Amino acid sequence: MYREEDMICSFCVNDYHLAVMIIPYIYEAINEGKKVITFFDRDLELISKKVMDTNQKFWENQDIFEKIDFKKTRFDKLSEKFENIKDNDIAIIAGQDIFIERINKLLTNFHTNFTIVNCFNVSDIAKNENFKITSYAKILNTKGLEKIEKLDLVWKLCEKNIVSV
């Protein structure tokens, strides 16, 4: 069974915002010796390069990102990506709800001991009545990782449509 503590969510307003959030997370994960596998429903290569070029820390260490695939995930390459995931790796999935849901189902059918980071577009989540923040243990934002418990009250109100995000 898949562990909830290995589920992380993230919310972005556009691709640049997504890159600003995930690049520092990827950087830290690689420095901790973890392997990062990406699944994107759109190409983030140019945007991620711009983000790295504007940040001195990443500019000096851009070679750390050479193995990260910021391109749109091709479905004919999915099996290759799935085979490369090992215990304690990190899978970052970004895109529309349907894309994230499909990749998650495939990943969790084959693997159980890794971290999933689901990166949603805010406008998609606002339309998705089935989304439950309680499925996640942490949230990734521009400040880094935070436990969901800190945000619990706000999300409970959002899920009951009392407050909108």
Side-chain angles (χ1 to χ4, degrees):
M1 185 71 192
Y2 200 79
R3 300 179 316 205
E4 182 182 294
E5 63 266 17
D6 293 324
M7 294 290 289
I8 300 169
C9 62
S10 182
F11 306 97
C12 62
V13 293
N14 57 38
D15 291 345
Y16 188 81
H17 183 216
L18 173 63
V20 168
M21 284 189 298
I22 64 171
I23 287 175
Y25 178 75
I26 291 170
Y27 183 83
E28 295 300 324
I30 292 172
N31 280 330
E32 292 172 5
K34 296 182 179 180
K35 185 176 167 189
V36 177
I37 311 284
T38 59
F39 300 88
F40 300 138
D41 76 347
R42 59 199 173 276
D43 195 310
L44 299 176
E45 194 167 33
L46 291 175
I47 291 171
S48 62
K49 180 95 171 109
K50 285 179 185 178
V51 170
M52 287 184 270
D53 285 345
T54 58
N55 187 312
Q56 184 70 22
K57 177 179 176 182
F58 300 119
W59 184 82
E60 291 175 352
N61 298 300
Q62 281 192 11
D63 59 321
I64 203 168
F65 294 101
E66 287 177 1
K67 294 181 182 178
I68 303 300
D69 182 9
F70 287 102
K71 294 180 183 174
K72 179 178 179 175
T73 300
R74 293 178 31 190
F75 284 100
D76 61 333
K77 300 284 184 181
L78 276 180
S79 62
E80 182 181 314
K81 284 192 171 216
F82 291 146
E83 289 173 4
N84 288 329
I85 296 177
K86 307 290 183 231
D87 285 353
N88 300 315
D89 285 350
I90 298 170
I92 298 177
I93 302 105
Q96 294 182 343
D97 292 1
I98 293 171
F99 177 82
I100 293 172
E101 185 179 318
R102 287 179 181 164
I103 298 295
N104 275 273
K105 283 182 182 178
L106 290 168
L107 283 170
T108 55
N109 281 339
F110 297 108
H111 304 285
T112 57
N113 194 18
F114 64 99
T115 299
I116 291 179
V117 181
N118 287 327
C119 303
F120 298 95
N121 189 305
V122 172
S123 61
D124 290 341
I125 290 302
K127 299 173 196 170
N128 185 343
E129 295 177 11
N130 297 322
F131 181 80
K132 299 287 181 202
I133 193 74
T134 53
S135 302
Y136 297 90
K138 296 177 184 172
I139 187 169
L140 175 64
N141 56 38
T142 53
K143 296 187 302 184
L145 282 177
E146 292 184 64
K147 288 186 177 183
I148 294 290
E149 297 159 356
K150 291 181 182 178
L151 306 168
D152 216 13
L153 177 61
V154 173
W155 285 110
K156 283 180 182 175
L157 294 173
C158 291
E159 287 178 347
K160 294 179 181 181
N161 294 322
I162 297 171
V163 174
S164 61
V165 179

